[in-house]
Amino acid sequence: MIRASLLDFLNTGCLGPIRPGATMEEIVALLGEPIKTIGEPAPHATQLPYWLYGNLDISFAQPEGAATFVEFLQIDRPGQLRGASRRVASRLMLDLHGFNARSRPSAFIRAVDEIDRVSVCLVDIAQYPAVTVYVGEELEINFDLGAEDPVETLPSLVEYIRALDSEAAWTDLYAYDPRCRTSRRAREETWPGRDAPFTLTGRDYLTALER
């Protein structure tokens, strides 16, 4: 049984020896065969391989002329993450350090050792109220508000952040290999500058909550 720490994952993007960039063979050696697979390896793939292990999903990249590797690790269905630890795959136990589906974005930000690596976007890809916490370029934590109306202009920042932090629900957590196009990079490349008014540092997010 592999034991990993959610705190370490927030700071390193790795679940013990399970890491973005690992090969398929390394993942099987560590975790065994997945519960379910989507897609298939090259050269016959019509969809990139995606493996499900429980609360852990693994997506693979297949660069032309190179070995297949883990594009990202995803922890999902946080409603199932209860207690001191959770078996997120048959061979992987994750120590939760008090985190669960009700944990606030601010709690995740405070858990990052280097606060200056953290930035926060206050809308989702469709401009609805949401929180995405980025740690560096490779890790993101998503929270959904279930709002019915998009946000066109930034409301009063302090009140908006307080509402988001108290009401947004944790949905998933991704750790990407640095060679891959992260969702953050995709947003910036597709809509350059669009999310700038809704993005601030992790330090400024926490400061707004303290006012």
Side-chain angles (χ1 to χ4, degrees), residues 98-142:
F99 284 95
N100 55 52
R102 296 182 298 278
S103 296
R104 313 300 352 134
S106 54
F108 285 85
I109 294 171
R110 292 188 178 100
V112 177
D113 293 337
E114 299 178 49
I115 185 65
D116 291 332
R117 296 181 61 217
V118 178
S119 59
V120 187
C121 185
L122 305 178
V123 291
D124 66 14
I125 197 169
Q127 296 294 101
Y128 285 84
V131 179
T132 300
V133 176
Y134 298 107
V135 183
E137 292 293 323
E138 285 83 49
L139 193 138
E140 69 176 61
I141 313 150
N142 294 301

Side-chain angles (χ1 to χ4, degrees), residues 181-193:
R181 188 173 185 246
T182 65
S183 63
R184 177 182 187 178
R185 194 175 307 152
R187 286 172 69 163
E188 291 174 348
E189 292 172 355
T190 305
W191 300 286

Side-chain angles (χ1 to χ4, degrees), residues 27 74 76 104 116 168 183 210:
I27 294 299
Q74 178 187 4
D76 65 0
R104 313 300 352 134
D116 291 332
S183 63
E210 295 164 359

